[in-house]
Amino acid sequence: MGEILALVEARLLTALGEPDARAAVTFLGTDRIEVLRFTDGDVVRYATLGMSAQPMADPTAALADPVKGPRAELVLSVRAGLADTDKVLRPLAVLAASPQVEGVIVAPGASLETGEPLWPGAPFSSVLVAEPGGLVEDLEMDAPMDPVRFLPLLPMTHNETAWKRVRGAQELQERWLSHGTDLRDPLRGSVPLD
C-alpha cells in the first residue's frame, strides 16, 4: 500500500510540481487520506492521496478483491484568491474515503455529494466526476492491478445537480461548453438550464 501511494505521489509531483501545502484526514475505520495543494499561477489544484491505496470494490460483491479493481485519486482545480477554497480539504477527503466507507465505485459521469458547501459560501455541494487523462496521466501498475486514474472534479450547483440526474453528465458538460462556463470559478452561478 505504501509503495502504491509513493508512486501516486511521484506522478502528482511530476504533473503538478511541488505541493505548497498538505493536510491529512482519518475517518474511523478507513485509511488516512491526504489532500495536497498545488498553486499554478492563478489556479489552485487540490489532489487526494490515499484513495488509491485500496481498489474500489463492487458493493454487491460478497468479498472485496484486495488487488484487482479500479483505483483513483481526485483532483479539483479552482481560481485562486476568490473564495476560501482551502476549506475544501475535509469535503474532498470525505469524497475520497467514500469507496471505503460506503462501498461505492467512483467513475467518470458520477455525481458525488458532500451534504455541505465545498467551502464557506460555495454555491456547490456536489461535484461531477470528469474523464481522466488530461491534467495527470493514468499511472500504470503491475498486473493484475488496475491503473490509478486521476479523476477531475467539476463543482455543480444544486440546479445543475438536479438537471444532471434527469439529463445525464454528457448533456450537462455540453451545456457548460456551449455557454463558455468557467468551471474553475469558485463563485460562479448555475449555467442556464431552460
Side-chain angles (χ1 to χ4, degrees), residues 17-67:
E18 282 295 320
D20 58 7
R22 63 194 312 147
V25 180
T26 305
F27 303 101
L28 189 61
T30 68
D31 296 325
R32 178 172 121 143
I33 303 284
E34 284 190 88
V35 179
L36 284 58
R37 182 182 73 190
F38 302 87
T39 304
D40 180 16
D42 70 336
V43 175
V44 179
R45 293 190 171 87
Y46 301 93
T48 63
L49 180 61
M51 182 178 171
S52 61
Q54 305 291 333
M56 292 181 270
D58 181 345
T60 62
L63 202 56
D65 190 314
V67 178

Side-chain angles (χ1 to χ4, degrees), residues 140-164:
E140 295 297 327
M141 305 298 288
D142 292 336
M145 289 192 289
D146 289 20
V148 176
R149 303 171 85 197
F150 297 88
L151 302 171
L153 300 180
L154 308 175
M156 295 188 291
T157 65
H158 296 295
N159 289 343
E160 291 169 343
T161 302
W163 201 79
K164 183 250 173 200

Side-chain angles (χ1 to χ4, degrees), residues 68-101:
K68 288 190 208 170
R71 293 176 190 261
E73 296 291 353
L74 308 175
V75 181
L76 173 70
S77 300
V78 293
R79 298 228 176 272
L82 302 176
D84 190 8
T85 56
D86 279 352
K87 297 285 196 298
V88 78
L89 301 178
R90 185 168 176 75
L92 258 186
V94 167
L95 296 177
S98 63
Q100 287 183 59
V101 174

